[in-house]
Amino acid sequence: MIYNILYYYNRIADINTLISNQVYTIIDYYKSQNKFPAQSDSYEEAVKIEESDETVDYKVSAFWGYYLLLIEKLNLRDLYEIIKGFLKIDLKNVSKCIWFLKKDEELLFYEPYAMWRAGEGIEVKVERNFDEFCSIVQFILKQYQNDIFSFEEYSFKSLEIITCRYFGYIPRVKIKAKRT
């Protein structure tokens, strides 16, 4: 949600700084603890992960999938080049996924477990270079560009954030940054 607020006020440099700081912190934490929190974790889940002495064997990560989308949307080439080794080596067995819901499935969005009952999970792969990565992400996003939900059409965009927060979903990346 903080990204949406900063974007609304056109504070792109602050978003870039925040993303970089979070990514570096999470990478360091994972390298030292073999676990990382996820935005979709409930408070209880995060505490359980934190207090456990066990390492976590991650198979899928929506967190990294959505961060990769943000990196592409904000054209953070340097950050991508820095973290791609970590994602390819340390998290090589982890699918970095994003979730898309089609317009005709919108009513399921307002129910619990929508992420398990509707939509499509797509893996975002780390590519050799940033340009290849961007072209693949843009291809993926183009498949869903016409799926406009009623809350977007009728100017109540914060409903997505409220619903996502309530049910523990991850909001879509809807930033339109200019490419340089």
Side-chain angles (χ1 to χ4, degrees), residues 6-22:
L6 290 172
Y7 183 70
Y8 179 80
Y9 288 105
N10 199 29
R11 296 182 56 186
I12 305 300
D14 292 335
I15 294 173
N16 296 349
T17 301
L18 183 59
I19 288 173
S20 297
N21 289 342
Q22 286 180 319

Side-chain angles (χ1 to χ4, degrees), residues 2 41 47 55 68 71 102 106 115 142 163:
I2 189 74
D41 287 342
V47 169
T55 60
L68 284 168
I71 287 169
K102 294 289 200 175
E106 182 179 355
M115 291 182 83
K142 197 172 278 186
T163 304

Side-chain angles (χ1 to χ4, degrees), residues 49-129:
I49 290 169
E50 178 62 33
E51 291 181 347
S52 173
D53 289 335
E54 300 174 17
T55 60
V56 179
D57 186 26
Y58 295 100
K59 300 285 185 225
V60 177
S61 174
F63 173 82
W64 286 110
Y66 280 89
Y67 257 58
L68 284 168
L69 280 186
L70 280 170
I71 287 169
E72 187 277 331
K73 285 300 219 180
L74 295 170
N75 199 28
L76 299 176
R77 179 182 299 271
D78 293 339
L79 182 59
Y80 178 80
E81 295 299 332
I82 290 169
I83 69 168
K84 80 176 178 184
F86 167 76
L87 295 174
K88 278 186 153 187
I89 296 167
D90 295 293
L91 298 182
K92 67 181 175 203
N93 296 324
V94 178
S95 295
K96 295 93 179 149
C97 291
I98 48 181
W99 176 63
F100 290 100
L101 192 64
K102 294 289 200 175
K103 183 177 181 169
D104 60 350
E105 299 173 308
E106 182 179 355
L107 289 179
L108 290 171
F109 179 66
Y110 306 106
E111 296 181 16
Y113 309 109
M115 291 182 83
W116 293 270
R117 296 175 43 202
E120 303 167 338
I122 307 226
E123 182 176 12
V124 179
K125 297 207 182 249
V126 179
E127 300 297 331
R128 285 181 299 150
N129 63 55

